[in-house]
Each structure stands twice: as structure tokens, then as C-alpha cells.
Amino acid sequence: MTSSTTESPVTVEEEVLYSSTVTAVGEQVATFVEGHGILVFFGVDSPVELHDFSALHEATVATAGPRTGDVIELGGARIPVLAVGSVVEANLLNLGHIDLKANGAPEADMPGDVNLPVDTLVVPSAGDTFRILRPAGPVASPEDRS
Amino acid sequence: MSDYKSVTISKGRGGWGGPLVITPTADKPLIYSVTGGGIHPVAARIAELTGGQAFDGFKSSAPFDKIAVAVIDCGGTARVGVYPMKKVMTVDVHATSPAGPLASFIKEEIFVSGVGVNDVVEK
């Protein structure tokens, strides 16, 4: 199911925690991304009322959610994760749901937030690959997951 | 159909909004759980006390005009606003407050958060 389009190569030192392919992009996604710096994903099985503002995706790897210091890769762009709320992993693994916020903030305001640097999000396209990558070696400390 | 009972749902620790009084009717019987892992215990409790019908939103879709209350496990951005925007009473099991692109729809008359099973009581 992995997209055959070009992806930035994963070095052997990175672990792929999550990998999916975008299957559809709702009409409101551009407004969320360009107006609010927010990109919402849901799994393809999510209720239809959530599809308008969501990028739907289908995962082939789903082992863990992100934590501070991981890298979000979307459509070939690599974006560092600044902070992660407490319910992000459960929502991602259970529902395929994740809220990316390009707010540059060092702490997650809401339990579902994944903070990224400002102006790092673009509107995805169907067929794009979404991945969460974890560098090998020393990892972020546990309190970063609070 | 006078078999339905009312419950009062209050905010839990760190929560916001409410309290909401929920009374299913024959026209609006559904306790709509839009949560991971099947029917959430809070939705099950509301259904048990009211006589409403617990419904898993990730298994199939429900018509909005049949929903007495939506129970979500939203982290604060999307689902917190979607259901209030559609005038559906909304219970978030996580302690969120109005935020996100749809924040303007989140009012204390229609939304309550941080809700646990013990925050649902018979009215």
C-alpha cells in the first residue's frame, strides 16, 4: 500500500513507527491548514461527518504514536515534533486520528495536540505518504509525553 | 414512549461546560459513541440510565436527527466542535475547553468535558 512516488529515504538509524497513505482530502482541509495551521487525520472507517475537514488515510504500519524529537514525514517533507499531548497515541492507534498543529509551541495545550514548527504544514494530496519516524540512539525523556 | 429517563451530566476534573440534561426520545434514541475501542463506558452508562440505545459511530453512521447525545474522546481540535456545530449535545471524556477552528460552536449549554462514568447521574 506504500506510495510508489518519491519519498525521502529513511536512514538505517530511523525506526518507522507509523506509515499510511492519504486516500482522500476533505473540502475544509485547506481552510484548516491555511487559516489555522491545523491538519486533522482520521482513519478511512471514521464517521462521515468528520470527513469534510479531515485527510483520510489507511495505515500499513501502526506501532506507536509520536513523541518529542520524532519526525513527521508528509508528502516527502520532514517536520520535527515539538510536543505531544497525552491522548495522541491512543487516538492514532484506535481511530487513525491525529491533530497536527503548526504552532511552534513547546508544550501541548490540548491532550490531542501534536505541535510542529510554524508554517510547516501544507495541504496533502491523495496518494501522499504519512509517516512517523524515530531517530535511533538516545531518546526524549518520558516527561515530554505528558 | 415514556420509558426514557433523564440524566444530568456534569463536567469532571479539569473539564468545562455543562451540566447537560439528556433525555432520549423515540425520535432521538441514540447515545452516539464516536470513540476508540467500541462503545465508551460513559456512553454505556448514559444508555443504561436513560434507556437510550448505545451506538458505535465507527461501526456505522447514524442520522444526526436520531442522536440524543454524542460521546467523544476528542483531544481538543475537531470532534469537540463538529457535533455542537450540528446542534448535537456533546460529551467529551477528555478535559478539553473551547479551542480549535470550530471553537465558536462550543457552548456550555451543548458541551461538557472531562466526563467520567460517575459524572452521569439520574435526574
Side-chain angles (χ1 to χ4, degrees):
Chain A
M1 293 295 290
T2 307
S3 167
S4 61
T5 56
T6 55
E7 299 167 10
S8 50
V10 179
T11 63
V12 291
E13 292 83 13
E14 278 182 334
E15 181 185 1
V16 179
L17 302 175
Y18 195 93
S19 181
S20 67
T21 301
V22 175
T23 60
V25 177
E27 285 185 3
Q28 299 293 318
V29 170
T31 303
F32 270 47
V33 171
E34 289 156 9
H36 302 276
I38 294 174
L39 177 56
V40 177
F41 285 88
F42 268 102
V44 290
D45 295 331
S46 58
V48 65
E49 65 268 18
L50 305 176
H51 295 182
D52 247 14
F53 54 80
S54 298
L56 301 184
H57 65 155
E58 196 157 28
T60 52
V61 177
T63 54
R67 62 188 181 200
T68 303
D70 289 349
V71 171
I72 299 279
E73 187 188 70
L74 180 59
R78 292 170 58 90
I79 309 169
V81 174
L82 302 181
V84 178
S86 58
V87 306
V88 168
E89 179 167 272
N91 273 334
L92 180 63
L93 299 184
N94 288 332
L95 307 175
H97 173 46
I98 191 165
D99 296 317
L100 305 179
K101 295 192 173 177
N103 55 16
E107 295 192 7
D109 267 355
M110 287 289 167
D113 290 356
V114 176
N115 294 0
L116 307 174
V118 294
D119 292 335
T120 50
L121 287 174
V122 296
V123 180
S125 304
D128 281 356
T129 298
F130 170 73
R131 296 199 292 183
I132 300 170
L133 308 173
R134 178 160 301 165
V139 296
S141 53
E143 62 262 27
D144 288 335
R145 305 194 68 183
S146 64
Chain B
M1 298 293 286
S2 59
D3 291 349
Y4 295 107
K5 295 184 170 60
S6 298
V7 290
T8 301
I9 305 174
S10 304
K11 66 183 178 187
R13 179 183 300 193
W16 187 92
L20 305 182
V21 175
I22 303 296
T23 313
T25 65
D27 286 338
K28 288 179 180 281
L30 300 183
I31 315 300
Y32 186 56
S33 192
V34 190
T35 52
I39 304 290
H40 191 276
V42 167
R45 180 67 170 162
I46 297 170
E48 176 194 345
L49 291 180
T50 61
Q53 177 191 349
F55 189 99
D56 185 346
F58 276 85
K59 287 241 172 81
S60 52
S61 268
F64 269 84
D65 59 1
K66 299 289 186 192
I67 298 173
V69 61
V71 176
I72 60 178
D73 57 352
C74 179
T77 296
R79 280 171 292 169
V80 286
V82 170
Y83 299 98
M85 179 174 69
K86 294 179 183 290
K87 311 292 185 201
V88 173
M89 294 278 196
T90 304
V91 172
D92 194 354
V93 302
H94 296 316
T96 53
S97 49
L102 305 175
S104 62
F105 296 101
I106 304 171
K107 310 285 189 194
E108 57 192 6
E109 299 83 14
I110 200 166
F111 178 87
V112 63
S113 72
V115 174
V117 170
N118 293 332
D119 300 312
V120 180
V121 297
E122 289 178 81
K123 182 176 158 63

